[in-house]
mmCIF file of all heavy atoms in Angstrom:
data_model
loop_
_atom_site.group_PDB
_atom_site.id
_atom_site.type_symbol
_atom_site.label_atom_id
_atom_site.label_comp_id
_atom_site.label_asym_id
_atom_site.label_seq_id
_atom_site.Cartn_x
_atom_site.Cartn_y
_atom_site.Cartn_z
ATOM 1 N N ASP A 1 117.211 40.671 88.072
ATOM 2 C CA ASP A 1 116.023 40.453 87.203
ATOM 3 C C ASP A 1 116.531 39.678 86.048
ATOM 4 O O ASP A 1 117.503 39.958 85.343
ATOM 5 C CB ASP A 1 115.458 41.823 86.713
ATOM 6 C CG ASP A 1 114.850 42.600 87.881
ATOM 7 O OD1 ASP A 1 113.996 41.995 88.573
ATOM 8 O OD2 ASP A 1 115.137 43.847 88.039
ATOM 9 N N PRO A 2 115.773 38.607 85.591
ATOM 10 C CA PRO A 2 116.199 37.807 84.491
ATOM 11 C C PRO A 2 116.014 38.504 83.116
ATOM 12 O O PRO A 2 115.238 39.497 82.961
ATOM 13 C CB PRO A 2 115.120 36.573 84.566
ATOM 14 C CG PRO A 2 113.915 37.172 85.194
ATOM 15 C CD PRO A 2 114.396 38.228 86.229
ATOM 16 N N ARG A 3 116.735 38.058 82.116
ATOM 17 C CA ARG A 3 116.598 38.511 80.772
ATOM 18 C C ARG A 3 115.241 37.980 80.203
ATOM 19 O O ARG A 3 114.882 36.810 80.512
ATOM 20 C CB ARG A 3 117.793 38.104 79.912
ATOM 21 C CG ARG A 3 119.118 38.782 80.415
ATOM 22 C CD ARG A 3 120.218 38.350 79.374
ATOM 23 N NE ARG A 3 121.456 38.943 79.770
ATOM 24 C CZ ARG A 3 121.816 40.236 79.472
ATOM 25 N NH1 ARG A 3 121.025 40.963 78.791
ATOM 26 N NH2 ARG A 3 122.990 40.701 80.013
ATOM 27 N N ARG A 4 114.639 38.688 79.382
ATOM 28 C CA ARG A 4 113.379 38.297 78.780
ATOM 29 C C ARG A 4 113.300 38.827 77.386
ATOM 30 O O ARG A 4 114.054 39.708 76.959
ATOM 31 C CB ARG A 4 112.213 38.705 79.595
ATOM 32 C CG ARG A 4 112.102 40.129 80.125
ATOM 33 C CD ARG A 4 111.012 40.308 81.064
ATOM 34 N NE ARG A 4 109.708 39.918 80.524
ATOM 35 C CZ ARG A 4 108.737 39.522 81.282
ATOM 36 N NH1 ARG A 4 108.862 39.260 82.578
ATOM 37 N NH2 ARG A 4 107.566 39.057 80.702
ATOM 38 N N SER A 5 112.376 38.319 76.646
ATOM 39 C CA SER A 5 112.264 38.633 75.147
ATOM 40 C C SER A 5 110.950 39.465 74.862
ATOM 41 O O SER A 5 110.758 39.787 73.740
ATOM 42 C CB SER A 5 112.201 37.383 74.384
ATOM 43 O OG SER A 5 111.141 36.532 74.731
ATOM 44 N N GLY A 6 110.143 39.671 75.871
ATOM 45 C CA GLY A 6 108.959 40.494 75.660
ATOM 46 C C GLY A 6 108.542 41.220 76.877
ATOM 47 O O GLY A 6 109.130 41.145 77.945
ATOM 48 N N GLY A 7 107.378 41.971 76.758
ATOM 49 C CA GLY A 7 107.060 42.889 77.875
ATOM 50 C C GLY A 7 105.888 42.430 78.659
ATOM 51 O O GLY A 7 105.320 43.199 79.548
ATOM 52 N N HIS A 8 105.370 41.197 78.482
ATOM 53 C CA HIS A 8 104.197 40.722 79.209
ATOM 54 C C HIS A 8 104.477 40.642 80.700
ATOM 55 O O HIS A 8 105.551 40.177 81.132
ATOM 56 C CB HIS A 8 103.731 39.341 78.678
ATOM 57 C CG HIS A 8 102.524 38.834 79.376
ATOM 58 N ND1 HIS A 8 101.362 39.672 79.571
ATOM 59 C CD2 HIS A 8 102.252 37.647 79.895
ATOM 60 C CE1 HIS A 8 100.472 38.889 80.177
ATOM 61 N NE2 HIS A 8 101.013 37.676 80.413
ATOM 62 N N ARG A 9 103.535 41.074 81.465
ATOM 63 C CA ARG A 9 103.630 41.106 82.940
ATOM 64 C C ARG A 9 104.762 41.881 83.460
ATOM 65 O O ARG A 9 105.501 41.495 84.337
ATOM 66 C CB ARG A 9 103.736 39.707 83.513
ATOM 67 C CG ARG A 9 102.397 38.907 83.506
ATOM 68 C CD ARG A 9 102.439 37.781 84.537
ATOM 69 N NE ARG A 9 101.146 36.971 84.435
ATOM 70 C CZ ARG A 9 100.848 36.024 85.216
ATOM 71 N NH1 ARG A 9 101.686 35.666 86.196
ATOM 72 N NH2 ARG A 9 99.795 35.327 85.073
ATOM 73 N N THR A 10 104.911 43.074 82.821
ATOM 74 C CA THR A 10 105.923 43.992 83.325
ATOM 75 C C THR A 10 105.202 45.326 83.641
ATOM 76 O O THR A 10 104.522 45.447 84.654
ATOM 77 C CB THR A 10 107.048 44.215 82.361
ATOM 78 O OG1 THR A 10 106.509 44.610 81.031
ATOM 79 C CG2 THR A 10 107.867 42.917 82.187
ATOM 80 N N LEU A 11 105.380 46.376 82.835
ATOM 81 C CA LEU A 11 104.875 47.672 83.082
ATOM 82 C C LEU A 11 103.453 47.790 83.434
ATOM 83 O O LEU A 11 102.997 48.426 84.414
ATOM 84 C CB LEU A 11 105.188 48.679 81.883
ATOM 85 C CG LEU A 11 104.745 50.110 82.075
ATOM 86 C CD1 LEU A 11 105.388 50.764 83.272
ATOM 87 C CD2 LEU A 11 105.067 50.838 80.765
ATOM 88 N N THR A 12 102.585 47.086 82.585
ATOM 89 C CA THR A 12 101.131 47.138 82.811
ATOM 90 C C THR A 12 100.604 46.409 84.026
ATOM 91 O O THR A 12 99.397 46.495 84.309
ATOM 92 C CB THR A 12 100.372 46.714 81.595
ATOM 93 O OG1 THR A 12 100.695 45.333 81.343
ATOM 94 C CG2 THR A 12 100.722 47.521 80.295
ATOM 95 N N HIS A 13 101.485 45.697 84.598
ATOM 96 C CA HIS A 13 101.159 44.866 85.813
ATOM 97 C C HIS A 13 101.732 45.477 87.050
ATOM 98 O O HIS A 13 102.211 44.780 87.966
ATOM 99 C CB HIS A 13 101.601 43.433 85.613
ATOM 100 C CG HIS A 13 100.756 42.722 84.615
ATOM 101 N ND1 HIS A 13 100.798 43.028 83.296
ATOM 102 C CD2 HIS A 13 99.902 41.621 84.815
ATOM 103 C CE1 HIS A 13 99.973 42.147 82.668
ATOM 104 N NE2 HIS A 13 99.457 41.313 83.509
ATOM 105 N N THR A 14 101.721 46.757 87.163
ATOM 106 C CA THR A 14 102.295 47.560 88.323
ATOM 107 C C THR A 14 101.340 48.533 88.818
ATOM 108 O O THR A 14 100.384 48.942 88.160
ATOM 109 C CB THR A 14 103.569 48.244 87.914
ATOM 110 O OG1 THR A 14 103.313 49.335 86.984
ATOM 111 C CG2 THR A 14 104.607 47.288 87.267
ATOM 112 N N TRP A 15 101.542 48.927 90.132
ATOM 113 C CA TRP A 15 100.630 49.976 90.722
ATOM 114 C C TRP A 15 100.806 51.312 90.020
ATOM 115 O O TRP A 15 99.844 52.072 89.956
ATOM 116 C CB TRP A 15 100.965 50.157 92.163
ATOM 117 C CG TRP A 15 102.328 50.674 92.541
ATOM 118 C CD1 TRP A 15 103.430 49.989 92.662
ATOM 119 C CD2 TRP A 15 102.658 52.040 92.755
ATOM 120 N NE1 TRP A 15 104.553 50.860 92.869
ATOM 121 C CE2 TRP A 15 104.034 52.128 92.974
ATOM 122 C CE3 TRP A 15 101.977 53.260 92.697
ATOM 123 C CZ2 TRP A 15 104.746 53.312 93.222
ATOM 124 C CZ3 TRP A 15 102.595 54.453 92.922
ATOM 125 C CH2 TRP A 15 104.025 54.467 93.187
ATOM 126 N N VAL A 16 101.964 51.611 89.366
ATOM 127 C CA VAL A 16 102.202 52.812 88.717
ATOM 128 C C VAL A 16 101.273 52.900 87.501
ATOM 129 O O VAL A 16 100.620 53.907 87.315
ATOM 130 C CB VAL A 16 103.688 52.936 88.283
ATOM 131 C CG1 VAL A 16 103.897 54.160 87.420
ATOM 132 C CG2 VAL A 16 104.596 53.032 89.497
ATOM 133 N N TRP A 17 101.283 51.858 86.739
ATOM 134 C CA TRP A 17 100.359 51.844 85.580
ATOM 135 C C TRP A 17 98.883 51.981 85.994
ATOM 136 O O TRP A 17 98.129 52.691 85.343
ATOM 137 C CB TRP A 17 100.573 50.465 84.828
ATOM 138 C CG TRP A 17 99.628 50.330 83.598
ATOM 139 C CD1 TRP A 17 98.380 49.800 83.613
ATOM 140 C CD2 TRP A 17 99.938 50.762 82.256
ATOM 141 N NE1 TRP A 17 97.875 49.804 82.362
ATOM 142 C CE2 TRP A 17 98.720 50.413 81.486
ATOM 143 C CE3 TRP A 17 100.963 51.374 81.641
ATOM 144 C CZ2 TRP A 17 98.657 50.698 80.124
ATOM 145 C CZ3 TRP A 17 100.888 51.670 80.279
ATOM 146 C CH2 TRP A 17 99.755 51.311 79.581
ATOM 147 N N ALA A 18 98.507 51.304 86.995
ATOM 148 C CA ALA A 18 97.121 51.337 87.473
ATOM 149 C C ALA A 18 96.753 52.824 87.866
ATOM 150 O O ALA A 18 95.649 53.276 87.376
ATOM 151 C CB ALA A 18 96.984 50.475 88.732
ATOM 152 N N LEU A 19 97.629 53.493 88.511
ATOM 153 C CA LEU A 19 97.289 54.896 88.813
ATOM 154 C C LEU A 19 97.307 55.786 87.573
ATOM 155 O O LEU A 19 96.469 56.706 87.410
ATOM 156 C CB LEU A 19 98.385 55.503 89.821
ATOM 157 C CG LEU A 19 98.262 54.865 91.227
ATOM 158 C CD1 LEU A 19 99.341 55.544 92.184
ATOM 159 C CD2 LEU A 19 96.909 55.088 91.835
ATOM 160 N N LEU A 20 98.244 55.573 86.699
ATOM 161 C CA LEU A 20 98.312 56.404 85.454
ATOM 162 C C LEU A 20 97.051 56.205 84.577
ATOM 163 O O LEU A 20 96.463 57.166 84.129
ATOM 164 C CB LEU A 20 99.572 56.076 84.691
ATOM 165 C CG LEU A 20 100.869 56.545 85.280
ATOM 166 C CD1 LEU A 20 102.066 56.049 84.455
ATOM 167 C CD2 LEU A 20 100.916 58.068 85.305
ATOM 168 N N ILE A 21 96.718 54.907 84.416
ATOM 169 C CA ILE A 21 95.526 54.668 83.540
ATOM 170 C C ILE A 21 94.234 55.125 84.177
ATOM 171 O O ILE A 21 93.338 55.625 83.522
ATOM 172 C CB ILE A 21 95.500 53.131 83.237
ATOM 173 C CG1 ILE A 21 94.664 52.975 81.928
ATOM 174 C CG2 ILE A 21 94.872 52.331 84.343
ATOM 175 C CD1 ILE A 21 95.347 53.383 80.715
ATOM 176 N N GLY A 22 94.162 55.057 85.532
ATOM 177 C CA GLY A 22 93.032 55.563 86.180
ATOM 178 C C GLY A 22 92.881 57.128 86.122
ATOM 179 O O GLY A 22 91.839 57.620 85.915
ATOM 180 N N ALA A 23 94.000 57.726 86.382
ATOM 181 C CA ALA A 23 94.048 59.225 86.193
ATOM 182 C C ALA A 23 93.707 59.728 84.846
ATOM 183 O O ALA A 23 93.052 60.744 84.643
ATOM 184 C CB ALA A 23 95.432 59.724 86.685
ATOM 185 N N GLY A 24 94.268 58.989 83.800
ATOM 186 C CA GLY A 24 94.030 59.370 82.429
ATOM 187 C C GLY A 24 92.483 59.244 82.141
ATOM 188 O O GLY A 24 91.896 59.990 81.417
ATOM 189 N N SER A 25 91.905 58.097 82.560
ATOM 190 C CA SER A 25 90.544 57.912 82.310
ATOM 191 C C SER A 25 89.651 58.933 82.955
ATOM 192 O O SER A 25 88.653 59.403 82.439
ATOM 193 C CB SER A 25 90.178 56.470 82.813
ATOM 194 O OG SER A 25 90.861 55.503 82.075
ATOM 195 N N ALA A 26 89.983 59.263 84.255
ATOM 196 C CA ALA A 26 89.243 60.296 84.960
ATOM 197 C C ALA A 26 89.317 61.631 84.156
ATOM 198 O O ALA A 26 88.353 62.393 84.131
ATOM 199 C CB ALA A 26 89.793 60.428 86.348
ATOM 200 N N ALA A 27 90.515 61.943 83.654
ATOM 201 C CA ALA A 27 90.631 63.230 82.904
ATOM 202 C C ALA A 27 89.801 63.188 81.679
ATOM 203 O O ALA A 27 89.167 64.182 81.315
ATOM 204 C CB ALA A 27 92.158 63.384 82.577
ATOM 205 N N ILE A 28 89.786 62.057 80.905
ATOM 206 C CA ILE A 28 88.924 61.978 79.710
ATOM 207 C C ILE A 28 87.474 62.163 80.062
ATOM 208 O O ILE A 28 86.737 62.880 79.397
ATOM 209 C CB ILE A 28 89.185 60.605 79.009
ATOM 210 C CG1 ILE A 28 90.565 60.526 78.481
ATOM 211 C CG2 ILE A 28 88.156 60.425 77.944
ATOM 212 C CD1 ILE A 28 90.922 59.135 77.931
ATOM 213 N N ALA A 29 87.109 61.554 81.196
ATOM 214 C CA ALA A 29 85.609 61.571 81.636
ATOM 215 C C ALA A 29 85.258 63.020 81.986
ATOM 216 O O ALA A 29 84.156 63.435 81.676
ATOM 217 C CB ALA A 29 85.387 60.607 82.729
ATOM 218 N N THR A 30 86.167 63.711 82.710
ATOM 219 C CA THR A 30 85.790 65.091 83.179
ATOM 220 C C THR A 30 85.974 66.180 82.142
ATOM 221 O O THR A 30 85.168 67.075 82.013
ATOM 222 C CB THR A 30 86.611 65.450 84.408
ATOM 223 O OG1 THR A 30 88.004 65.247 84.124
ATOM 224 C CG2 THR A 30 86.265 64.491 85.606
ATOM 225 N N LEU A 31 87.012 65.990 81.309
ATOM 226 C CA LEU A 31 87.308 67.049 80.365
ATOM 227 C C LEU A 31 86.584 66.818 79.045
ATOM 228 O O LEU A 31 86.333 67.723 78.286
ATOM 229 C CB LEU A 31 88.825 67.086 80.002
ATOM 230 C CG LEU A 31 89.678 67.467 81.270
ATOM 231 C CD1 LEU A 31 91.191 67.380 80.894
ATOM 232 C CD2 LEU A 31 89.299 68.791 81.785
ATOM 233 N N GLY A 32 86.233 65.580 78.736
ATOM 234 C CA GLY A 32 85.574 65.293 77.491
ATOM 235 C C GLY A 32 84.000 65.355 77.637
ATOM 236 O O GLY A 32 83.290 65.021 76.583
ATOM 237 N N ASP A 33 83.501 65.741 78.742
ATOM 238 C CA ASP A 33 82.035 65.865 78.903
ATOM 239 C C ASP A 33 81.346 64.599 78.573
ATOM 240 O O ASP A 33 81.910 63.493 78.840
ATOM 241 C CB ASP A 33 81.508 67.056 78.119
ATOM 242 C CG ASP A 33 82.039 68.392 78.568
ATOM 243 O OD1 ASP A 33 82.272 68.494 79.833
ATOM 244 O OD2 ASP A 33 82.261 69.213 77.699
ATOM 245 N N ARG A 34 80.200 64.577 77.997
ATOM 246 C CA ARG A 34 79.394 63.435 77.772
ATOM 247 C C ARG A 34 80.172 62.418 76.824
ATOM 248 O O ARG A 34 80.060 61.230 77.043
ATOM 249 C CB ARG A 34 78.052 63.753 77.161
ATOM 250 C CG ARG A 34 77.163 62.546 76.914
ATOM 251 C CD ARG A 34 75.758 62.894 76.494
ATOM 252 N NE ARG A 34 74.963 61.759 76.150
ATOM 253 C CZ ARG A 34 74.332 61.029 77.135
ATOM 254 N NH1 ARG A 34 74.458 61.311 78.423
ATOM 255 N NH2 ARG A 34 73.593 59.979 76.786
ATOM 256 N N TRP A 35 80.806 62.907 75.795
ATOM 257 C CA TRP A 35 81.510 62.027 74.905
ATOM 258 C C TRP A 35 82.649 61.262 75.454
ATOM 259 O O TRP A 35 82.941 60.141 75.214
ATOM 260 C CB TRP A 35 81.920 62.765 73.614
ATOM 261 C CG TRP A 35 80.652 63.117 72.757
ATOM 262 C CD1 TRP A 35 80.275 64.385 72.611
ATOM 263 C CD2 TRP A 35 79.826 62.266 72.044
ATOM 264 N NE1 TRP A 35 79.118 64.395 71.758
ATOM 265 C CE2 TRP A 35 78.838 63.073 71.452
ATOM 266 C CE3 TRP A 35 79.831 60.855 71.835
ATOM 267 C CZ2 TRP A 35 77.829 62.518 70.685
ATOM 268 C CZ3 TRP A 35 78.835 60.340 71.075
ATOM 269 C CH2 TRP A 35 77.898 61.131 70.508
ATOM 270 N N GLY A 36 83.279 62.010 76.439
ATOM 271 C CA GLY A 36 84.352 61.349 77.185
ATOM 272 C C GLY A 36 83.878 60.300 78.043
ATOM 273 O O GLY A 36 84.460 59.144 78.135
ATOM 274 N N VAL A 37 82.745 60.502 78.683
ATOM 275 C CA VAL A 37 82.101 59.509 79.594
ATOM 276 C C VAL A 37 81.658 58.276 78.693
ATOM 277 O O VAL A 37 81.841 57.153 79.096
ATOM 278 C CB VAL A 37 80.866 60.070 80.348
ATOM 279 C CG1 VAL A 37 80.151 58.922 81.056
ATOM 280 C CG2 VAL A 37 81.368 61.172 81.312
ATOM 281 N N LEU A 38 81.092 58.588 77.565
ATOM 282 C CA LEU A 38 80.588 57.512 76.689
ATOM 283 C C LEU A 38 81.806 56.701 76.180
ATOM 284 O O LEU A 38 81.694 55.463 76.057
ATOM 285 C CB LEU A 38 79.837 58.122 75.489
ATOM 286 C CG LEU A 38 78.444 58.531 75.779
ATOM 287 C CD1 LEU A 38 77.880 59.350 74.632
ATOM 288 C CD2 LEU A 38 77.504 57.386 76.212
ATOM 289 N N PHE A 39 82.887 57.309 75.937
ATOM 290 C CA PHE A 39 84.133 56.588 75.463
ATOM 291 C C PHE A 39 84.600 55.638 76.447
ATOM 292 O O PHE A 39 84.853 54.472 76.248
ATOM 293 C CB PHE A 39 85.178 57.579 75.056
ATOM 294 C CG PHE A 39 86.492 56.919 74.722
ATOM 295 C CD1 PHE A 39 86.681 56.269 73.519
ATOM 296 C CD2 PHE A 39 87.567 56.934 75.619
ATOM 297 C CE1 PHE A 39 87.896 55.708 73.193
ATOM 298 C CE2 PHE A 39 88.741 56.316 75.334
ATOM 299 C CZ PHE A 39 88.959 55.640 74.138
ATOM 300 N N ILE A 40 84.704 56.153 77.781
ATOM 301 C CA ILE A 40 85.165 55.335 78.855
ATOM 302 C C ILE A 40 84.198 54.144 79.111
ATOM 303 O O ILE A 40 84.566 52.910 79.248
ATOM 304 C CB ILE A 40 85.271 56.156 80.162
ATOM 305 C CG1 ILE A 40 86.392 57.234 80.002
ATOM 306 C CG2 ILE A 40 85.653 55.220 81.271
ATOM 307 C CD1 ILE A 40 87.745 56.706 79.713
ATOM 308 N N LEU A 41 82.949 54.420 79.040
ATOM 309 C CA LEU A 41 81.969 53.390 79.231
ATOM 310 C C LEU A 41 81.968 52.352 78.118
ATOM 311 O O LEU A 41 82.003 51.148 78.436
ATOM 312 C CB LEU A 41 80.524 53.999 79.305
ATOM 313 C CG LEU A 41 80.189 54.771 80.628
ATOM 314 C CD1 LEU A 41 78.864 55.406 80.447
ATOM 315 C CD2 LEU A 41 80.114 53.783 81.760
ATOM 316 N N PHE A 42 82.056 52.808 76.859
ATOM 317 C CA PHE A 42 82.085 51.862 75.750
ATOM 318 C C PHE A 42 83.274 50.906 75.803
ATOM 319 O O PHE A 42 83.067 49.698 75.706
ATOM 320 C CB PHE A 42 82.060 52.648 74.425
ATOM 321 C CG PHE A 42 82.238 51.710 73.264
ATOM 322 C CD1 PHE A 42 81.158 50.992 72.832
ATOM 323 C CD2 PHE A 42 83.475 51.768 72.541
ATOM 324 C CE1 PHE A 42 81.356 50.147 71.665
ATOM 325 C CE2 PHE A 42 83.548 50.943 71.467
ATOM 326 C CZ PHE A 42 82.573 50.064 70.996
ATOM 327 N N VAL A 43 84.448 51.420 76.008
ATOM 328 C CA VAL A 43 85.722 50.595 76.055
ATOM 329 C C VAL A 43 85.531 49.532 77.087
ATOM 330 O O VAL A 43 85.771 48.385 76.818
ATOM 331 C CB VAL A 43 86.897 51.459 76.280
ATOM 332 C CG1 VAL A 43 88.088 50.614 76.624
ATOM 333 C CG2 VAL A 43 87.212 52.348 75.069
ATOM 334 N N HIS A 44 85.050 49.974 78.252
ATOM 335 C CA HIS A 44 85.082 48.963 79.338
ATOM 336 C C HIS A 44 83.809 47.978 79.304
ATOM 337 O O HIS A 44 83.858 46.950 79.804
ATOM 338 C CB HIS A 44 85.146 49.698 80.730
ATOM 339 C CG HIS A 44 86.421 50.378 80.945
ATOM 340 N ND1 HIS A 44 86.772 51.641 80.487
ATOM 341 C CD2 HIS A 44 87.627 49.847 81.560
ATOM 342 C CE1 HIS A 44 88.003 51.881 80.903
ATOM 343 N NE2 HIS A 44 88.543 50.783 81.499
ATOM 344 N N MET A 45 82.772 48.539 78.667
ATOM 345 C CA MET A 45 81.630 47.662 78.448
ATOM 346 C C MET A 45 81.976 46.481 77.453
ATOM 347 O O MET A 45 81.631 45.312 77.650
ATOM 348 C CB MET A 45 80.451 48.420 77.916
ATOM 349 C CG MET A 45 79.766 49.352 78.842
ATOM 350 S SD MET A 45 78.773 48.391 80.013
ATOM 351 C CE MET A 45 77.894 49.801 80.808
ATOM 352 N N VAL A 46 82.723 46.823 76.415
ATOM 353 C CA VAL A 46 83.176 45.796 75.513
ATOM 354 C C VAL A 46 83.939 44.753 76.264
ATOM 355 O O VAL A 46 83.845 43.536 76.097
ATOM 356 C CB VAL A 46 83.998 46.499 74.381
ATOM 357 C CG1 VAL A 46 84.693 45.387 73.559
ATOM 358 C CG2 VAL A 46 83.067 47.287 73.434
ATOM 359 N N LEU A 47 84.974 45.243 77.031
ATOM 360 C CA LEU A 47 85.795 44.341 77.752
ATOM 361 C C LEU A 47 85.021 43.545 78.784
ATOM 362 O O LEU A 47 85.327 42.328 78.943
ATOM 363 C CB LEU A 47 86.893 45.088 78.486
ATOM 364 C CG LEU A 47 87.908 45.831 77.569
ATOM 365 C CD1 LEU A 47 88.903 46.607 78.400
ATOM 366 C CD2 LEU A 47 88.630 44.840 76.664
#
C-alpha cells in the first residue's frame, strides 16, 4: 500500500463503513422514535 498524506478514499469507502453507518442509522431510527426518524430523514434530505 502506498504512503499517503490524507484519509480520502480509505475507511469511508469500504463495505465495513457502509454496514456500520447503516446499522447506526437504523439504531437511531428505531431507538429515537419519531425524532430519530426525523433526524435521519433531515440529514439525508439535505444531502
Side-chain angles (χ1 to χ4, degrees):
D1 292 311
R3 295 184 180 276
R4 47 188 306 148
S5 59
H8 181 48
R9 282 202 186 184
T10 55
L11 179 61
T12 62
H13 288 67
T14 66
W15 67 272
V16 174
W17 177 270
L19 291 182
L20 287 176
I21 202 71
S25 298
I28 292 173
T30 54
L31 300 177
D33 295 325
R34 181 173 176 80
W35 290 109
V37 173
L38 284 171
F39 174 76
I40 296 299
L41 286 173
F42 173 73
V43 168
H44 291 89
M45 287 287 188
V46 169
L47 295 177

